Amino acid sequence: MSSHVAALLGSMALLVACGAVATLGWGWLPPWLRSRIVRPALFGWAQLTMTTALVAQLVGGLLITTPDVRFMVTMSGAIVMLLATGLIGLAQRQPFSR
């Protein structure tokens, strides 16, 4: 992985982590998401999950040299990213009620 891609992934992970802390700590959402996100706490957890996936991609691409282990780490990061995308979709839906 080149240093430019690593810097981009690291800055994206930091930005998403800051958004997660703001959402979970104070309930703050960016203005363009306020009309769509119904459950901010779930959206904050989705952001933390996305941060974990980005860090796994970064670690897998930079620090791990064994090809098999690198593949497992980066694929687990991709699976966690899909899970985070599903959580974001759930955060946009109304909670189930009777």
Side-chain angles (χ1 to χ4, degrees):
M1 175 184 299
S2 70
S3 61
H4 298 292
V5 175
L8 181 66
L9 274 177
S11 61
M12 284 174 54
L14 184 64
L15 184 66
V16 173
C18 290
V21 168
T23 302
L24 287 174
W26 297 282
W28 182 84
L29 288 169
W32 58 88
L33 290 176
R34 290 180 187 155
S35 64
R36 286 185 268 169
I37 301 298
V38 179
R39 297 187 265 183
L42 185 59
F43 183 71
W45 286 109
Q47 285 180 314
L48 280 180
T49 307
M50 186 69 71
T51 301
T52 305
L54 289 171
V55 168
Q57 294 283 329
L58 186 64
V59 167
L62 280 181
L63 301 178
I64 299 175
T65 58
T66 309
D68 294 337
V69 178
R70 178 186 298 164
F71 177 77
M72 293 300 292
V73 170
T74 55
M75 283 299 116
S76 65
I79 291 169
V80 170
M81 197 171 294
L82 289 174
L83 174 69
T85 305
L87 287 176
I88 289 171
L90 285 176
Q92 294 177 357
R93 298 191 64 167
Q94 291 288 338
F96 299 112
S97 62
R98 291 182 174 211

